[in-house]
Amino acid sequence: MATILDQTHTLLTVPFSTDTDFTLLADYCDRFAVSLIETDDPAQRLALCGRLAACLALLRPTLNDPIPPHLVDSLTVDTLPETSPCFAPGFDLVCEYSETLAQLLLSRALSPLAEKAMTGLLAELVWYFAAELKAPRWIRTADGVKSIEEVAA
């Protein structure tokens, strides 16, 4: 599905600042990321990436702040959600991401601060990847060997 120019243009001009609620900034980050993946236009990708970086820069210093009172109700539910957000790409994507990060680090094109962050990300991804590859897949039961997924379901 291609990004519609009008939606992207609107997204590129949406105002946000240090006064913008973190929930709205998170929504903008989500929309920037979706549009970034969907567009093939290099200029739009650069603009969207810049807007995403600006949003993330505003979010970072507030991550440990208390939830503002006016947002508490919107983040409160009566029943537990069936699912929670999780990062669970397939092995192939984690390997691709790790390989790409390693190549980026080898290019020495990053600032020292960005290189440190990308090295940390690469390490976290590789640790996750290795742990997932080495994780048990089957369990011995009274009924014989079964898939852990089958028993857990």
Side-chain angles (χ1 to χ4, degrees), residues 46-83:
L46 186 61
L48 288 164
C49 194
R51 296 289 285 174
L52 175 58
C55 242
L56 292 169
L58 289 174
L59 278 169
R60 180 188 260 248
T62 68
L63 293 176
N64 294 314
D65 290 355
I67 304 293
H70 69 279
L71 291 177
V72 169
D73 193 50
S74 69
L75 298 171
T76 305
V77 296
D78 295 322
T79 58
L80 289 176
E82 290 183 27
T83 62

Side-chain angles (χ1 to χ4, degrees), residues 6-14 28 31-32 35 48 51:
D6 291 338
Q7 288 176 340
T8 301
H9 176 67
T10 302
L11 193 54
L12 291 175
T13 60
V14 68
Y28 290 153
R31 292 171 51 200
F32 291 139
S35 295
L48 288 164
R51 296 289 285 174

